[in-house]
Amino acid sequence: MPRADATPPASVLSSTAIWRIADLLRGRVQPAEYGPVILAFTVLRRMEQARVRPALTLAAVHLAPDGLAAFEALLARLPAPVRSIMTQLEALPLARRLARTGVLEGVVAHFAALDLAPAHYGSEAMALLFEELVHHFTQSRGTGAHYTPPEVADLMADLVFAPDAAGTRHDLYDPAAGTGALLGRAADRLHARGMAVRLFGQELGQQSCALCRADLLLRGQKPQDIAQGDTLLADGHKGRRFARMLANPPFGLDWRHIRDAIRAEHARGPAGRFAAGLPRVSDGSMLFMLHLLAKMRAPRHGGGRVGVVTHAAALCGGGAETGESAIRRHLVEHDLIDTVIALPTDMFVNTGIATYVWILDNHKPATRKGKIRLIDATPLWRRTPRSSGEKRREMIPAHLAAITRACGADGEMDVALREDADGAAEEWALLPRNPVGGPWGNEDGGLPHGDGWTRRAGFSRIVAGREFLYRSLVVEHPAREGAPARTVFTTPMDLDPQAWFTRMIQPHDPESRLDMTRVRVGCAISFASCFHRPVRPRPPGEIKAELQRSMARLAALMPGEEDRVDPEADFTSRDAGP
């Protein structure tokens, strides 16, 4: 049975040494420029140490009598792809400003002394470093970006590429690529499994795009395969379709500034990317999901699989009349959802909210057609050795293995848990779902042999997709003061609206009427309905004892009234159960 006491992962390169340069910059340049300076020189140092024989180095620039001229010469002698990346990072304008304030020499000396060689720090360590640096100077800007934890990237790669065997080659695309950490982590994991991927992506931020291109260059791939620009406004890989895609788009992305363009594409219907519906302008994360659907390889060519991270509103936010509901309905009615996984909270650096991984598939095997698998992985976590922003929890490989096993199983599964005082799973075991269960859910379904097991809970459930559809019905009541009152009800799809109204409403409110012109079909994916955890009622004796203690405390606060408050009173009803 897996345990969570595995050795913590080795620490990666800390940004502390790099950020010491801020002491030199303080008072000489604006604080807003600390980040750009640090990023540009970090990338430059990494690039020169990754090359076999660089034409000119930062150490040589530091020793030159004219540091700025030497730096300009260094940039001019870089290979064209590297020079393009440094242009994106505005390395030369930054160097000129540093020279004017008299700190260029100190900055060059600082970075020339840093050891960022690939032999010491691999691509994963550098990706984490770049994300930490970007996080430092963007966290106050409300970007909505939530950098993907390595274990979540691993899980997504494992599930999206689950049908593929060693020797497979695919193009892998991320429409919100950021610094490239998700793409790079997936590429490394797939390489270990004997698979090869060519990486594609698009990123809005100029600096993040440059970092992503730098990572591709160091991997021997083509930096130009990362397009720069707003993915929702203009597809940087128009005309190309992908068999495998991963994405962690920004949450709460306000798209009112491109509202006209998005609505115009929506109006094009199936010829555009957003025909299914438009979410509220304050949160465009589901627009990325529609974009990913539009980029999927056609089923006749083998289809495509997508792994995408969302927040809870993507599952059930908005009523039947909203764009969010319309998008979910499109996904269900076209049988595009394979699996949805609920992750533990406090997993991301920038947010502690509940997050979910969706696996979409437009070419599902016959045994999975019409079905959606839900995985409640919220109990599988452990405390991080040290917190980073909002990230206080992490998942280890054994957690991921349990999820992967449940995703591939033919049937539904429960999980037996041995939890610590914080609720973290110290040990767990997957069990076939108890088909009957007791009156208090799966807690009565039995636990493995041994002491210390805390509880048994639902882990995976397989649900017919159409069960998440519902009807929204509007019942009008006669006007008593002002306009008629309206009440909205939701009913299952298998109930006839008029028959439901006649049986459930009319006998109690004969003057009401059902407005059939307002009937809508909505869609909400509810984990709560599939993983309901009923609370076992407390024993009557325990409740009685607590009431008696409370009455005794009350009597002590009311001197002279003791005879009116009997702490020994029998509060048990004569017809109460045992």
Side-chain angles (χ1 to χ4, degrees):
M1 298 174 188
R3 297 182 60 87
D5 53 4
T7 302
S11 60
V12 297
L13 175 65
S14 170
S15 61
T16 305
I18 293 177
W19 272 99
R20 291 198 190 103
I21 195 65
D23 294 334
L24 178 62
L25 299 176
R26 191 171 293 114
R28 305 292 188 91
V29 300
Q30 294 296 319
E33 291 192 315
Y34 291 4
V37 168
I38 290 170
L39 281 175
F41 279 87
T42 300
V43 172
L44 188 58
R45 178 59 174 161
R46 172 69 167 185
M47 287 289 188
E48 78 173 26
Q49 288 195 281
R51 297 167 63 200
V52 178
R53 285 187 296 273
L56 192 60
T57 66
L58 286 173
V61 171
H62 172 57
L63 297 174
D66 186 339
L68 180 59
F71 188 80
E72 291 180 357
L74 183 153
L75 295 180
R77 297 174 70 175
L78 292 173
V82 181
R83 196 163 59 247
S84 175
I85 291 169
M86 299 315 299
T87 299
Q88 275 189 286
L89 292 173
E90 301 181 337
L92 184 55
L94 287 170
R96 288 170 176 165
R97 289 199 289 276
L98 294 174
R100 284 197 297 270
T101 58
V103 294
L104 177 60
E105 181 179 349
V107 170
V108 169
H110 178 84
F111 282 93
L114 288 178
D115 186 357
L116 303 180
H120 297 151
Y121 300 104
S123 57
E124 178 187 345
M126 289 304 300
L128 292 175
L129 170 64
F130 285 145
E131 289 202 347
E132 188 173 352
L133 292 175
V134 171
H135 170 65
H136 268 287
F137 68 85
T138 60
Q139 58 184 340
S140 62
R141 301 183 189 176
T143 62
H146 303 289
Y147 305 114
T148 314
E151 64 269 35
V152 176
D154 291 346
L155 177 64
M156 294 169 69
D158 288 348
L159 296 180
V160 168
F161 285 82
D164 302 311
T168 303
R169 299 182 63 88
H170 276 306
D171 292 346
L172 176 60
Y173 170 69
D174 181 352
T179 61
L182 178 55
L183 285 173
R185 177 83 183 193
D188 291 341
R189 192 163 181 87
L190 295 169
H191 177 75
R193 291 173 50 187
M195 287 182 259
V197 288
R198 179 179 172 185
L199 303 179
F200 291 83
Q202 186 163 346
E203 169 55 28
L204 174 62
Q206 179 172 311
Q207 291 167 328
S208 295
C209 182
L211 296 176
C212 189
R213 287 175 172 174
D215 183 62
L216 258 67
L217 187 64
L218 292 171
R219 292 176 179 274
Q221 301 214 23
K222 299 178 179 179
Q224 63 269 28
D225 286 343
I226 304 298
Q228 186 183 347
D230 191 329
T231 301
L232 301 180
L233 191 60
D235 181 3
H237 295 283
K238 191 172 183 179
R240 186 183 287 272
R241 299 292 180 266
F242 298 94
R244 302 290 181 261
M245 291 178 275
L246 301 174
N248 178 18
F251 303 164
L253 176 69
D254 193 301
W255 53 278
R256 70 187 72 238
H257 62 292
I258 56 173
R259 176 169 41 193
D260 292 343
I262 298 296
R263 287 178 173 173
E265 187 164 354
H266 171 66
R268 293 171 56 196
R273 295 172 291 171
F274 310 123
L278 296 180
R280 69 199 79 182
V281 295
S282 60
D283 186 3
S285 58
M286 291 194 79
L287 291 176
F288 279 93
M289 189 176 288
L290 291 178
H291 170 77
L292 288 163
L293 295 180
K295 302 295 287 181
M296 293 176 86
R297 186 175 65 179
R300 66 178 180 274
H301 297 307
R305 285 173 65 83
V306 174
V308 58
V309 181
T310 75
H311 49 38
L315 274 78
C316 52
E321 74 287 352
T322 64
E324 290 89 344
S325 176
I327 294 170
R328 290 190 293 268
R329 180 182 174 187
H330 174 83
L331 292 169
V332 167
E333 292 184 337
H334 289 80
D335 197 16
L336 294 169
I337 307 175
D338 181 75
T339 304
V340 183
I341 302 155
L343 298 175
T345 56
D346 301 329
M347 287 279 290
F348 288 72
V349 172
N350 289 26
T351 180
I353 65 174
T355 51
Y356 299 80
V357 170
W358 300 54
I359 304 299
L360 308 179
D361 192 332
N362 65 355
H363 193 47
K364 294 161 72 171
T367 56
R368 299 177 84 107
K369 286 190 180 297
K371 302 173 183 177
I372 298 174
R373 187 184 301 266
L374 302 183
I375 306 284
D376 182 6
T378 55
L380 299 186
W381 57 273
R382 73 173 186 185
R383 290 284 178 192
T384 56
R386 65 181 183 92
S387 61
S388 176
E390 297 294 325
K391 184 173 177 63
R392 300 175 182 87
R393 298 176 175 180
E394 65 184 5
M395 303 178 82
I396 61 175
H399 294 146
L400 307 187
I403 297 171
T404 303
R405 177 186 165 194
C407 286
D410 293 332
E412 300 175 324
M413 307 193 83
D414 292 341
V415 60
L417 299 163
R418 179 178 285 125
E419 297 167 311
D420 64 16
D422 291 332
E426 294 182 319
E427 191 172 358
W428 59 95
L430 295 189
L431 308 167
R433 182 188 182 183
N434 179 18
V436 179
W440 315 121
N442 288 310
E443 291 183 3
D444 291 349
L447 292 168
H449 294 295
D451 297 329
W453 293 102
T454 311
R455 62 187 175 95
R456 176 172 177 159
F459 191 67
S460 73
R461 297 292 181 261
I462 301 173
V463 185
R466 294 192 64 82
E467 290 189 20
F468 294 121
L469 301 179
Y470 65 89
R471 281 194 180 91
S472 175
L473 307 179
V474 176
V475 174
E476 290 194 344
H477 311 281
R480 294 181 175 86
E481 292 180 14
R486 295 188 179 95
T487 304
V488 179
F489 296 89
T490 59
T491 65
M493 291 294 292
D494 58 356
L495 292 182
D496 176 78
Q498 190 61 56
W500 171 86
F501 173 75
T502 301
R503 185 177 74 257
M504 300 298 294
I505 303 298
Q506 226 169 18
H508 310 286
D509 191 357
E511 297 182 3
S512 64
R513 74 177 190 89
L514 176 64
D515 187 351
M516 291 298 294
T517 65
R518 294 174 178 266
V519 175
R520 299 287 185 272
V521 176
C523 182
I525 299 174
S526 171
F527 267 71
S529 64
C530 298
F531 297 96
H532 177 55
R533 297 175 181 171
V535 178
R536 189 187 297 270
R538 296 166 63 194
E542 180 182 313
I543 297 173
K544 176 183 176 182
E546 184 175 326
L547 285 172
Q548 289 175 338
R549 288 193 297 271
S550 297
M551 295 301 291
R553 288 195 297 269
L554 181 61
L557 296 173
M558 300 170 61
E561 301 291 327
E562 292 86 344
D563 57 338
R564 299 183 59 184
V565 180
D566 181 7
E568 298 300 323
D570 186 356
F571 297 99
T572 305
S573 173
R574 285 182 298 174
D575 58 353

